[in-house]
Amino acid sequence: MNNHEKLNYVEFAARDLLATKTFFSSVFGWEFVDYGPEYTAFSNQGLDGGFYQADMCSKTSNGAALLVFYSADIQSTLQKVIANGGTIIKPLFDFPGGCRFHFTEPSGNEFAVWSEAKN
């Protein structure tokens, strides 16, 4: 649903659209709709968005925003990220109330996954 003046869409550059699509489909179950050879979109993932063909990537070290996934089973998600070509750039660490790790997907964009602390 579109809500007035609320975040609605996010776009990322991707060096390799096919590898990026395959990664997100395999790890998170995303489905994509292609709009020509240089753009693909996803929806129903908490925030809709897309990837466009470009030789850039989004990393917090360059001042980019960080999009963070939630996982009820962070170890399982961590293993799926690794098994499908993701690179762990910040290993699993604790913070007050939870834990998280950061990864890059095959096109180099940085994301994170967090989970609640287990008592």
Side-chain angles (χ1 to χ4, degrees), residues 1-81:
M1 174 175 276
N2 296 325
N3 293 308
H4 178 66
E5 297 180 344
K6 301 297 181 195
L7 290 175
N8 180 260
Y9 203 83
V10 63
E11 292 185 330
F12 293 93
R15 289 186 300 258
D16 186 335
L17 284 174
L18 180 58
T20 292
K21 287 170 46 176
T22 300
F23 175 84
F24 283 101
S25 295
S26 298
V27 177
F28 297 106
W30 289 13
E31 295 180 5
F32 291 88
V33 175
D34 294 334
Y35 294 94
E38 296 184 351
Y39 194 88
T40 191
F42 57 87
S43 59
N44 299 313
Q45 301 307 318
L47 180 65
D48 293 351
F51 292 92
Y52 57 93
Q53 185 72 51
D55 287 331
M56 300 175 285
C57 61
S58 178
K59 291 188 177 179
T60 58
S61 61
N62 295 331
L66 178 66
L67 274 72
V68 182
F69 291 88
Y70 173 76
S71 174
D73 183 352
I74 199 163
Q75 288 294 336
S76 173
T77 304
L78 175 65
Q79 293 309 311
K80 287 195 302 182
V81 166

Side-chain angles (χ1 to χ4, degrees), residues 96-110:
C99 60
R100 78 181 196 194
F101 67 91
H102 293 213
F103 69 92
T104 56
E105 51 86 25
S107 286
N109 294 301
E110 180 181 354

